[in-house]
Amino acid sequence: MQNDKHLIQQLQQKDERALALLYDKYAGAIYSVILKMIKDEGQAQNLLQDTFMTVWDKAERYDANKGRFYTWVYRIAKNKVLNVLRKTDPLIQTDDFSVYDNKEDAIGIDSEYLELNGAITQLETHHKEAIELVYFKGMTHREAHQAMDVPLGTFKSYVRQALKQLRDRYAKTLSVLLLILNAL
């Protein structure tokens, strides 16, 4: 991390060598995330390049006090992928955070799906917070356990317990929930 701190400072001063070293260190992991979301190697490569161009252009905006460098780059990449997905497949997001191709689908959604969507709100507070941090805010388990101020093992247990509760209640439609969570 200390080495990253120095490289990030150099990057913020527009040192191309620092960008190259940070790219070498993080590009593989970021590319993997992009590819998993976009499922197209050519587009993933373009988005990776675009991500690091944004890192170069906006390096001065990175604040180590707000999070890790990897997380900052990850969020840039994730936003770029989501922007591409939105452009190619326009979706409508409703008040219950569900996403539809058109408004008619939103109106005709079956009650079981709405019940599952509301299941997260029925979880105990600590389980709900754990799910929200990981799946909706994009935090890693390490970041999220620190945000909740609980040990890492306890946090992972919260996530497992929450998913088990959801699975037990809604075994048939769990795949729908996972698709929604992966899309976010």
Side-chain angles (χ1 to χ4, degrees):
M1 183 61 193
Q2 189 64 20
N3 190 24
D4 278 0
K5 186 176 181 179
H6 182 67
L7 286 174
I8 293 164
Q9 288 171 346
Q10 290 176 330
L11 173 67
Q12 291 172 330
Q13 297 169 0
K14 300 299 183 194
D15 182 340
E16 292 177 10
R17 187 184 71 72
L19 176 65
L21 291 171
L22 288 166
Y23 179 90
D24 289 344
K25 183 171 184 176
Y26 293 106
I30 297 298
Y31 177 75
S32 171
V33 168
I34 293 170
L35 185 59
K36 184 176 180 181
M37 291 176 73
I38 202 85
K39 295 176 179 47
D40 179 299
E41 288 184 26
Q43 263 189 317
Q45 291 169 359
N46 289 338
L47 286 166
L48 179 67
Q49 180 178 353
D50 194 27
T51 296
F52 277 91
M53 291 302 296
T54 301
V55 167
W56 173 259
D57 292 338
K58 301 188 185 290
E60 69 281 352
R61 292 187 184 178
Y62 170 69
D63 182 358
N65 295 324
K66 292 184 179 178
R68 296 181 325 162
F69 182 74
Y70 171 81
T71 304
W72 183 69
V73 176
Y74 166 83
R75 288 187 177 143
I76 291 171
K78 183 176 176 181
N79 287 337
K80 291 199 175 291
V81 170
L82 291 174
N83 286 340
V84 166
L85 291 173
R86 283 184 195 117
K87 285 179 186 173
T88 59
D89 188 17
L91 299 174
I92 299 168
Q93 187 170 17
T94 61
D95 292 336
D96 68 352
F97 297 108
S98 300
V99 180
Y100 307 96
D101 291 324
N102 59 52
K103 202 64 176 171
E104 289 77 33
D105 289 346
I107 294 168
I109 195 71
D110 67 37
S111 62
E112 187 176 324
Y113 176 75
L114 291 175
E115 187 179 337
L116 173 61
N117 208 16
I120 293 173
T121 61
Q122 295 175 5
L123 294 173
E124 294 178 40
T125 305
H126 59 280
H127 290 141
K128 178 182 171 185
E129 184 178 357
I131 292 293
E132 287 174 351
L133 290 173
V134 172
Y135 292 103
F136 295 104
K137 294 187 178 176
M139 291 184 170
T140 65
H141 283 198
R142 291 197 184 280
E143 292 167 340
H145 92 87
Q146 291 171 348
M148 285 185 69
D149 196 27
V150 297
L152 180 59
T154 301
F155 177 80
K156 287 183 177 184
S157 175
Y158 288 170
V159 172
R160 275 192 308 274
Q161 291 168 3
L163 292 175
K164 183 180 182 324
Q165 288 175 22
L166 291 171
R167 186 180 310 118
D168 290 347
R169 290 184 200 162
Y170 304 98
K172 291 184 215 171
T173 55
L174 182 62
S175 60
V176 172
L177 176 64
L178 292 176
L179 288 173
I180 291 168
L181 296 176
N182 283 335
L184 296 175

